[in-house]
Amino acid sequence: MMKQVQGTWLRGYITIQVIGYHPELFFDLCTRHEIDVWQIKKVDQTTCVGNIFIKDIIKTKQIRKQTRYKLRFVRKTGLPFAWKKVNKRKPLLIGFIVSLFFITLLSNMVWKIEVAGVRPEIEKQIRTTLSENGVYPGMLKFSIDSPSNLQKKILDNIPELLWVGVTEKGTTYSLEGVEKTSVSEQESRGPSNIVAAKDGVIVDMYVAKGKPMASVNDYVKKGDILVAGDLSNTDSEDDDEEKTHNKIAVEAEIYANTWYESTITVPLQANYKVLTGNVNRKYYLNLADLNLPIWGFFQETYKEEQVEVEQKSIHFFQWELPISFVKKSIFESEQITEKRSRKNAREVGIKQAKTQLQQTLGHEAEITNEKILHEASENGKVKLDLYFTVKENIVKIQDLSQGD
């Protein structure tokens, strides 16, 4: 049987040389005993070569004993022989693999953290925040948050920072920050007035510099002068130079009750998805868009789930390999259907409206009172017209030099 046999390299084969009268007859005898042979070539009148599988060697030797042919093993080819050679050099191979593993491991650790653009005390706070979030020398980069998440955590923890940039450069994390500047009002601007930024009734007034033009409990309109920076007497005959010296940069805090209206609609039946707290995590090595599983399998599956995937490249020294470490977090979720009473829908609507207003005004403003102007229920929804009273700073600086 002189056909090409499949899977020859994986199974391993030997090229044999048959010496004798009409040597091709020996291969014919092999095929009769169901031995696969292929690539048979006649070298001369008494010599032939061909290939047989490893598993057929003993059987072939037994057939030869029944003949006068001589056999020689010319060449050994295939995975079993290659593995045998590797096995002889096992210590060297193991050492090479271990070396590659440790070099790759060390190339994917954090070895240096650089912080620039901030004062030493702010730098110390940044390094403390990074350490609390698992960013310190010797830490594997696979377990560290993305630069954007780190940036958000640093800004949340350090209010003195206006901006911070986080960059991953090989085994180094570089951070550059910009602090909020605290420049005194007198240095940053010239003579000025304080005017009302909004209509309202003044409830608190603290004037450090300037001439008050309004007082507590006064109703003021947007644009009214609350504190004047011109201290000169308009009836006096002071010269222009003296009048100029009497103009100052005012400093004051003025809080007033202001009013806002809001309309919000709340359904009496709400459908939303919540996380139960159960989570499965699976880890992969990604190679050419093929995910090879590493850990976290044979876990229970969830009926409803929310999946988050983090993928981080693997480096070898400074080179980025076409391999990445993938972490897949599978959170169990469930669909909740909530039926609300009209009273409950009203409470939810007021809370939502207050939250939206607070986000618009900022955390310094204080919502002191709310009132329902109108309430209606139709088509399975409750519609609310709301009226809010807010205590907020209504200071607006007006530069006096603009009028000169």
Side-chain angles (χ1 to χ4, degrees):
M1 184 175 68
M2 293 179 285
K3 65 178 182 180
Q4 180 64 44
V5 181
Q6 300 298 319
T8 54
W9 192 86
L10 291 175
R11 295 161 68 179
Y13 63 92
I14 294 179
T15 302
I16 60 173
Q17 185 181 68
V18 181
I19 302 172
Y21 185 71
H22 291 302
E24 65 274 8
L25 296 177
F26 178 79
F27 288 108
D28 183 64
L29 190 60
C30 288
T31 58
R32 293 177 185 275
H33 285 80
E34 298 181 346
I35 296 175
D36 292 323
V37 294
W38 68 97
Q39 290 185 349
I40 299 172
K41 295 180 182 177
K42 190 169 183 178
V43 179
D44 53 41
Q45 292 296 326
T46 59
T47 307
C48 253
V49 293
N51 299 327
I52 63 170
F53 284 117
I54 295 174
K55 67 180 181 65
D56 294 325
I57 291 177
I58 294 176
K59 203 172 180 180
T60 304
K61 287 182 177 179
Q62 291 174 348
I63 295 172
R64 189 209 65 80
K65 288 178 181 179
Q66 300 172 10
T67 67
R68 293 184 178 184
Y69 293 106
K70 293 182 179 179
L71 288 184
R72 286 182 56 194
F73 297 106
V74 178
R75 185 170 59 254
K76 301 174 181 179
T77 310
L79 181 62
F81 299 110
W83 178 250
K84 192 174 181 180
K85 288 181 181 178
V86 169
N87 236 14
K88 289 180 180 178
R89 301 175 183 176
K90 190 181 290 183
L92 181 64
L93 178 65
I94 292 173
F96 178 71
I97 292 173
V98 170
S99 299
L100 283 180
F101 173 76
F102 276 106
I103 291 173
T104 304
L105 185 68
L106 295 175
S107 300
N108 290 276
M109 282 184 174
V110 178
W111 291 114
K112 190 176 181 182
I113 298 173
E114 299 176 342
V115 182
V118 295
R119 291 174 289 128
E121 54 267 33
I122 300 297
E123 179 180 341
K124 185 177 179 181
Q125 292 182 50
I126 291 175
R127 291 184 181 274
T128 300
T129 302
L130 289 174
S131 181
E132 290 172 351
N133 286 278
V135 185
Y136 48 84
M139 192 65 180
L140 276 172
K141 294 191 293 182
F142 304 138
S143 59
I144 296 175
D145 261 343
S146 64
S148 59
N149 286 340
L150 288 175
Q151 178 180 323
K152 184 178 183 301
K153 290 177 179 178
I154 292 171
L155 291 175
D156 289 343
N157 290 345
I158 308 175
E160 293 87 355
L161 285 174
L162 178 65
W163 174 85
V164 64
V166 181
T167 307
E168 179 188 340
K169 299 177 180 176
T171 59
T172 301
Y173 271 77
S174 298
L175 292 90
E176 185 174 357
V178 177
E179 296 183 52
K180 294 177 182 176
T181 54
S182 299
V183 183
S184 67
E185 291 291 327
Q186 200 154 0
E187 293 176 347
S188 62
R189 54 185 173 83
S192 58
N193 290 332
I194 287 180
V195 300
K198 301 175 181 180
D199 297 352
V201 174
I202 298 174
V203 291
D204 289 313
M205 190 169 184
Y206 311 97
V207 180
K209 292 181 181 180
K211 181 167 62 177
M213 304 297 288
S215 58
V216 174
N217 296 326
D218 283 355
Y219 172 76
V220 295
K221 293 184 177 182
K222 181 179 179 180
D224 287 351
I225 297 177
L226 306 180
V227 181
D230 189 351
L231 304 181
S232 61
N233 188 345
T234 55
D235 296 332
S236 67
E237 297 181 355
D238 297 338
D239 57 23
D240 292 340
E241 184 177 350
E242 187 175 347
K243 286 182 179 180
T244 301
H245 286 302
N246 287 333
K247 294 180 179 180
I248 63 170
V250 295
E251 294 180 16
E253 290 185 6
I254 302 171
Y255 293 87
N257 282 337
T258 56
W259 308 276
Y260 296 88
E261 292 186 12
S262 174
T263 300
I264 192 163
T265 302
V266 182
L268 292 173
Q269 179 172 304
N271 298 312
Y272 52 90
K273 185 181 288 188
V274 297
L275 301 180
T276 64
N278 296 326
V279 59
N280 289 332
R281 288 189 171 88
K282 298 182 180 182
Y283 301 90
Y284 305 83
L285 273 182
N286 181 274
L287 177 61
D289 294 327
L290 177 65
N291 283 334
L292 304 176
I294 300 176
W295 188 260
F297 296 88
F298 308 107
Q299 300 176 354
E300 62 174 325
T301 57
Y302 302 131
K303 186 177 180 181
E304 293 187 32
E305 58 190 29
Q306 179 176 316
V307 180
E308 293 182 3
V309 178
E310 294 180 39
Q311 185 166 340
K312 298 199 174 184
S313 299
I314 296 178
H315 292 77
F316 187 80
F317 291 109
Q318 74 271 25
W319 296 288
E320 183 176 321
L321 301 177
I323 307 172
S324 58
F325 181 79
V326 179
K327 174 184 174 183
K328 181 185 287 187
S329 301
I330 305 170
F331 300 91
E332 183 184 25
S333 63
E334 60 180 359
Q335 196 75 24
I336 300 295
T337 299
E338 180 186 3
K339 292 185 178 181
R340 299 166 174 157
S341 64
R342 185 163 176 170
K343 179 183 176 181
N344 183 246
R346 184 189 307 123
E347 292 173 354
V348 170
I350 292 173
K351 185 178 179 180
Q352 288 180 358
K354 287 178 72 173
T355 301
Q356 292 172 5
L357 181 59
Q358 193 73 64
Q359 289 175 346
T360 302
L361 298 177
H363 67 277
E364 293 183 355
E366 178 187 356
I367 300 174
T368 58
N369 190 30
E370 69 271 350
K371 183 179 180 181
I372 300 175
L373 297 178
H374 182 261
E375 179 180 339
S377 179
E378 55 183 14
N379 298 326
K381 297 179 181 179
V382 174
K383 183 178 180 182
L384 301 173
D385 293 327
L386 302 171
Y387 180 85
F388 293 100
T389 302
V390 179
K391 181 183 176 182
E392 61 178 317
N393 193 338
I394 61 168
V395 167
K396 181 180 178 182
I397 304 299
Q398 182 185 65
D399 194 350
L400 281 178
S401 63
Q402 293 177 356
D404 293 342

